[in-house]
Amino acid sequence: MSESRATILIVDDVEINRTILAEVFKDDYNILEADNGLDAIEMINGNYGISAVLLDLIMPGINGLEVLKEMNKSGTIENIPVFLITAAESTKALMEGYQLGAVDVISKPFMPNFMKCRINNIIELYEHRNKLEHIVAEQVERLNSLNQSMVETLATVIEFRDCESGEHVKRIGRLTKILMTQVSEMYPEHHLPKKEIDKIVTSSILHDVGKISIPDRILNKPGRLTEEEFEIMKQHTVKGCEILQNIPDIIDEGVYKYSYDICRHHHERWDGRGYPDGLSGDDISIWAQVVSVADVYDALTAERVYKKAFSHEKAVQMIHDGECGTFSPKLLKAFDEVLDEIIVKK
Amino acid sequence: MALLDELKALDVNVDEGLERMMGNSSLYERMLVKFVKVMNDLEVSPDFDNNDYAEIIEKTHTIKGASGNLSVTPVYEAYTEIVNLLRSDKPEEAKEILRNILPVQKEILACIEKYV
């Protein structure tokens, strides 16, 4: 048998029917046979590279419709065309078969030549489609990773001005992922699918892009900022949003809404005394709250021009004591749950 | 080809059957032998219960499919009708057809068995 030939699975409890079908297709395809539904399901889910299934509807035990249901469950129905082998009288079962995703019908008694043409055509079509889907998926993957690296580059470049090495944004991303995942699991009202959490993580590394607009003398001032300087420093939140608005092309649409929100609101406080909008409580989005905790924790445990690094324990203590902002009690509970993970990952 | 000639005389549509086997007459003959076995295994007799014949429908359906694919036309036509009648809840009429086809079927099977 040649490796490059496509494989057809023939499922029929009557050997005569299987043999005839095998005879018709054996010159062009590798043939697999199953005389019951259970074996068929096993073969379809196995690593046989099946290109099409010819499926008898009426079989003792697991019948053809049940095989189709199983293929719907496993998703194999999307990529493998199924032809129903049937006698004309069972129209109800046929209809159900079509609804379950069968592509065509082979009526008994078989008409070999027509049958061959129809099945060949559909197999070719599916192979073409599967190939295209594969190419598209690869391209999307490449685009996404290119996009991600542009965002990371942007964040890193900006951070260099802040005398950081680029590690800060990576750590923020990690912390955000851990904490956001925990919050999503602990609180149904904040539950988010993994895909959305990934977008939030990407957004988190852009939280400080606005710092590009802050003069060096303020950004890197070793001592305490004057009130006037602090007012300018606070501007990095809204300036960041302005920057994001001007570079919509490099930020995926789904990421943009998180980036904008996180950029603007990662310095808001649970008690309403943060900036720039003075939002309080859950008026602040959960992702902005999460990035806010991640940012504070990382700032405390890292060395800065104006301070030494605090230990993990000291930083956690300070966050709980409200020395660096106020946070939602629920969020702090989630934070406590992941302390071990945070320390390992750092 | 003697078997196939004899079957022709018994109204089996040998040409059509051969075509379905992609012209492979030895395969056709092998399948006819299998057919005898299928028929002996299934053995449907007309004394089934008029109120409980789900199993009979299954068996006659299988016979219909196999005989159709081998173009054993008299058997195929009779069982097509039998399946239809049973599905429309007419067991008595189905039995009538079954009684008529049994001798014909017996003759065809005997003819094939002669050549095994």
Side-chain angles (χ1 to χ4, degrees):
Chain A
M1 275 194 217
S2 144
E3 279 299 315
S4 59
R5 289 204 305 185
T7 299
I8 291 183
L9 170 64
I10 299 169
V11 190
D12 196 313
D13 58 316
V14 180
E15 191 190 351
I16 294 172
N17 299 334
R18 288 200 310 275
T19 308
I20 295 174
L21 289 172
E23 183 67 18
V24 172
F25 290 104
K26 75 174 178 5
D27 290 341
D28 301 319
Y29 297 95
N30 296 331
I31 306 290
L32 287 173
E33 291 185 31
D35 64 3
N36 65 78
L38 210 59
D39 286 354
I41 291 168
E42 209 167 281
M43 286 179 174
I44 291 164
N45 291 335
N47 227 344
Y48 294 92
I50 293 168
S51 293
V53 179
L54 315 186
L55 179 66
D56 186 18
L57 273 180
I58 298 170
M59 291 184 288
I62 307 247
N63 66 29
L65 289 177
E66 283 165 273
V67 173
L68 277 172
K69 281 178 194 159
E70 206 52 49
M71 289 184 74
N72 275 274
K73 251 190 242 161
S74 65
T76 43
I77 193 81
E78 298 295 330
N79 301 316
I80 306 176
V82 177
F83 298 82
L84 303 176
I85 304 169
T86 171
E89 83 279 349
S90 38
T91 46
K92 200 180 143 218
L94 257 187
M95 208 52 229
E96 209 180 331
Y98 272 125
Q99 278 159 358
L100 285 168
V103 292
D104 207 346
V105 165
I106 303 167
S107 306
K108 280 184 275 196
F110 303 143
M111 310 255 282
N113 290 329
F114 289 126
M115 189 167 75
K116 222 172 156 175
C117 290
R118 275 155 63 192
I119 291 175
N120 285 346
N121 285 344
I122 290 191
I123 287 179
E124 262 174 44
L125 207 64
Y126 265 64
E127 278 179 351
H128 190 59
R129 203 191 74 178
N130 291 346
K131 212 185 284 170
L132 280 181
E133 272 178 8
H134 187 70
I135 292 171
V136 169
E138 263 179 13
Q139 299 281 12
V140 167
E141 180 63 33
R142 274 181 58 195
L143 269 179
N144 281 344
S145 95
L146 188 65
N147 204 263
Q148 179 74 16
S149 68
M150 287 206 311
V151 167
E152 278 170 18
T153 306
L154 179 65
T156 306
V157 165
I158 286 157
E159 210 186 306
F160 259 83
R161 274 199 62 234
D162 210 349
C163 298
E164 290 278 346
S165 60
E167 286 304 307
H168 171 63
V169 286
K170 287 196 188 127
R171 292 195 304 260
I172 289 294
R174 244 181 261 140
L175 290 169
T176 300
K177 184 167 198 163
I178 294 170
L179 191 52
M180 196 63 232
T181 305
Q182 179 65 23
V183 167
S184 168
E185 281 169 11
M186 265 175 89
Y187 305 113
E189 70 271 31
H190 295 313
H191 178 77
L192 284 168
K194 188 183 169 297
K195 231 172 90 187
E196 292 303 301
I197 294 179
D198 287 344
K199 289 179 190 166
I200 292 170
V201 171
T202 301
S203 301
S204 73
I205 68 178
L206 288 172
H207 70 288
D208 269 345
V209 282
K211 283 193 174 168
I212 195 90
S213 68
I214 307 299
D216 278 345
R217 64 182 166 81
I218 297 174
L219 192 65
N220 292 323
K221 184 178 176 183
R224 205 179 166 79
L225 299 181
T226 65
E227 202 172 309
E228 192 190 339
E229 285 166 340
F230 190 50
E231 282 309 314
I232 295 171
M233 187 64 169
K234 279 155 75 171
Q235 286 296 309
H236 82 274
T237 50
V238 287
K239 291 285 185 194
C241 292
E242 280 174 34
I243 292 171
L244 293 180
Q245 277 173 326
N246 284 312
I247 53 164
D249 286 346
I250 76 158
I251 301 171
D252 182 83
E253 210 176 311
V255 173
Y256 182 80
K257 70 166 188 180
Y258 295 119
S259 312
Y260 189 94
D261 193 30
I262 288 170
C263 228
R264 190 169 182 101
H265 296 306
H266 70 282
H267 283 291
E268 300 289 357
R269 288 167 51 119
W270 183 252
D271 61 8
R273 290 171 49 229
Y275 61 89
D277 296 321
L279 299 180
S280 63
D282 279 327
D283 283 346
I284 313 162
S285 67
I286 189 65
W287 38 89
Q289 292 185 47
V290 164
V291 172
S292 177
V293 174
D295 192 29
V296 165
Y297 173 85
D298 193 68
L300 287 172
T301 52
E303 195 174 317
R304 292 284 162 94
V305 282
Y306 51 89
K307 72 171 229 342
K308 291 226 174 305
F310 292 108
S311 69
H312 165 77
E313 290 73 19
K314 178 72 181 162
V316 172
Q317 189 61 48
M318 289 170 80
I319 288 170
H320 273 290
D321 291 349
E323 291 179 47
C324 323
T326 54
F327 302 101
S328 139
K330 275 171 144 185
L331 181 57
L332 289 180
K333 220 169 166 184
F335 179 61
D336 284 342
E337 291 293 323
V338 294
L339 290 180
D340 287 345
E341 209 178 331
I342 286 174
I343 217 169
V344 172
K345 299 263 178 170
K346 221 175 107 71
Chain B
M1 286 294 273
L3 165 64
L4 298 187
D5 286 336
E6 265 194 65
L7 286 177
K8 258 186 206 171
L10 292 170
D11 290 332
V12 173
N13 192 339
V14 171
D15 293 338
E16 187 192 81
L18 268 174
E19 198 188 314
R20 201 167 289 116
M21 307 289 150
M22 315 304 282
N24 185 338
S25 59
S26 80
L27 179 71
Y28 189 26
E29 289 181 17
R30 273 204 329 269
M31 287 302 110
L32 286 167
V33 173
K34 287 251 153 59
F35 178 65
V36 175
K37 190 175 177 310
V38 168
M39 295 304 281
N40 290 339
D41 286 350
L42 292 176
E43 209 182 0
V44 182
S45 79
D47 56 5
F48 59 81
D49 186 343
N50 274 356
N51 296 312
D52 179 19
Y53 47 83
E55 197 191 335
I56 301 294
I57 293 184
E58 214 166 89
K59 284 182 178 177
T60 49
H61 177 264
T62 301
I63 294 172
K64 174 190 161 186
S67 59
N69 270 334
L70 296 173
S71 296
V72 185
T73 314
V75 175
Y76 171 66
E77 285 174 352
Y79 280 83
T80 301
E81 219 174 328
I82 291 169
V83 171
N84 286 342
L85 287 168
L86 290 176
R87 290 221 160 123
S88 347
D89 296 322
K90 292 174 181 160
E92 269 313 323
E93 290 170 51
K95 281 178 182 176
E96 183 63 29
I97 310 270
L98 186 57
R99 269 183 222 108
N100 291 334
I101 191 63
L102 281 177
V104 180
Q105 162 184 330
K106 203 172 160 191
E107 199 179 349
I108 293 172
L109 296 182
C111 170
I112 300 168
E113 274 181 315
K114 261 197 325 204
Y115 288 87
V116 175

